[in-house]
């Protein structure tokens, strides 16, 4: 059983708003949904599929900020904001279906129903708290802290608890994709994963990881035991 199956990722009222007023758009695997720096016009609700939210430096180095599955908003940072450009890039990681609403229209719908606006603002604040938590780990605990905290977040988001107490991360990631989540190189990730495997902290097979000792990872990155709604990768 997924250890977070009961957690809602977006208020149901927001989902209903997109179902009623949104336009369906489908994207093939590896297709950009929007690009960093482009003018923004819409907010997107992920119906199905997987979307990678990322930033890229001038030298080509990529940082993956979120991996969003179904029942998630993307492009939400422009709601009630003076920004008129995308601050990140969104790319479909697999065939993905999106509901899209014009940003100005979404603001109008939210303004007309205060309870809906409050629900949306609460969700956006939750995303801010997630980002702050990730920045803490990336900046304060070095490459190991970045990897260990990322593994914890992946376990919280996609983990399936097995009979022996270990947690299988039911989500395939290449080492390069994992490196982008940790803002480091694939070679560094390879070395650290092998060290964890030698010490019986994790096992990995065919791009999936099983965490054998979650507490070790938490201790090493000085886990603050954030609520599971915050300690996630989506």
């Amino acid at each position: 059983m997924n250890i977070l199956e009961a957690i809602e990722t977006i208020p149901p009222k927001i989902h209903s708003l997109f179902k009623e007023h949104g336009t369906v758009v489908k994207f093939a695997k590896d297709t950009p949904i929007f690009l960093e720096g482009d003018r923004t016009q819409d907010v997107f609700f992920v119906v199905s599929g997987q979307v990678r939210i990322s930033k890229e430096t001038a030298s080509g180095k990529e940082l993956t900020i979120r991996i969003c599955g179904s029942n998630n908003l993307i492009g939400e940072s422009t709601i009630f904001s003076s920004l008129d450009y995308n601050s990140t890039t969104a790319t479909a990681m697999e065939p993905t279906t999106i509901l899209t609403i014009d940003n100005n229209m979404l603001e109008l719908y939210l303004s007309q129903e205060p309870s809906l606006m409050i629900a949306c603002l609460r969700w956006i604040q939750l995303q801010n708290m997630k980002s702050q938590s990730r920045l803490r780990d990336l900046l304060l605990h070095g490459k190991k802290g970045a990897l260990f905290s990322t593994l914890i977040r992946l376990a919280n988001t996609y983990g399936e608890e097995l009979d022996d107490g270990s947690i299988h991360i039911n989500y395939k990631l290449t080492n390069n994709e994992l490196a982008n989540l940790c803002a480091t190189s694939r070679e560094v990730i390879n070395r650290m994963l092998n060290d964890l495997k030698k010490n019986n902290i994790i096992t990995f097979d065919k791009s999936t990881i099983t965490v054998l000792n979650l507490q070790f990872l938490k201790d090493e990155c000085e886990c603050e035991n954030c609520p599971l709604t915050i300690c996630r990768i989506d």
Side-chain angles (χ1 to χ4, degrees):
M1 184 177 79
N2 190 299
I3 58 179
L4 289 181
E5 64 179 359
I7 292 179
E8 288 281 359
T9 55
I10 194 72
K13 285 186 176 181
I14 303 297
H15 186 183
S16 298
L17 177 65
F18 274 81
K19 286 176 67 176
E20 182 178 354
H21 300 287
T23 301
V24 177
V25 184
K26 296 187 177 182
F27 295 88
K29 181 180 178 181
D30 297 327
T31 303
I33 298 170
F34 55 78
L35 296 173
E36 183 177 357
D38 282 358
R39 283 297 189 103
T40 180
Q41 294 180 324
D42 301 302
V43 180
F44 307 87
F45 181 92
V46 182
V47 178
S48 63
Q50 295 282 342
V51 178
R52 179 177 64 251
I53 307 297
S54 62
K55 291 185 72 70
E56 188 170 313
T57 66
S59 62
K61 186 175 181 179
E62 182 179 322
L63 170 64
T64 300
I65 299 172
R66 296 165 60 197
I67 297 176
C68 304
S70 59
N71 204 33
N72 252 300
L73 281 184
I74 57 174
E76 77 285 349
S77 61
T78 59
I79 300 175
F80 297 108
S81 169
S82 59
L83 292 176
D84 61 354
Y85 63 90
N86 296 311
S87 59
T88 57
T89 292
T91 307
M93 300 177 69
E94 60 184 53
T96 298
T97 300
I98 298 285
L99 286 169
T100 176
I101 294 181
D102 176 81
N103 191 48
N104 293 327
M105 291 304 300
L106 179 60
E107 291 179 3
L108 178 62
Y109 295 140
L110 294 175
S111 299
Q112 291 173 342
E113 190 172 343
S115 63
L116 195 60
M117 182 185 292
I118 291 171
C120 184
L121 292 177
R122 282 177 174 169
W123 186 84
I124 291 174
Q125 181 58 24
L126 181 63
Q127 305 315 304
N128 291 335
M129 293 172 70
K130 288 181 185 179
S131 297
Q132 291 169 13
S133 176
R134 284 202 67 209
L135 283 174
R136 178 193 77 100
D137 295 328
L138 290 172
L139 295 176
L140 296 183
H141 298 290
K143 293 179 173 60
K144 278 191 176 181
L147 174 61
F148 293 178
S149 63
T150 297
L151 290 174
I152 293 168
R153 286 180 171 84
L154 286 167
N156 287 342
T157 309
Y158 300 106
E160 296 176 348
E161 189 168 358
L162 305 181
D163 292 339
D164 61 2
S166 62
I167 299 173
H168 176 67
I169 300 174
N170 189 20
Y171 187 82
K172 291 186 176 181
L173 278 173
T174 67
N175 286 5
N176 191 60
E177 289 170 333
L178 191 54
N180 288 341
L181 282 166
C182 301
T184 188
S185 67
R186 180 172 55 85
E187 291 76 18
V188 169
I189 291 297
N190 289 345
R191 185 173 66 251
M192 290 193 293
L193 287 176
N194 284 322
D195 288 343
L196 289 173
K197 185 176 182 180
K198 288 177 184 177
N199 289 290
N200 295 316
I201 307 301
I202 67 168
T203 62
F204 48 84
D205 180 53
K206 296 180 180 178
S207 300
T208 63
I209 295 172
T210 299
V211 178
L212 306 178
N213 189 342
L214 185 64
Q215 191 58 49
F216 173 86
L217 300 178
K218 289 184 175 183
D219 292 342
E220 286 294 305
C221 63
E222 300 180 14
C223 178
E224 296 181 338
N225 292 313
C226 299
L228 294 181
T229 50
I230 293 175
C231 191
R232 295 171 60 88
I233 209 70
D234 58 7

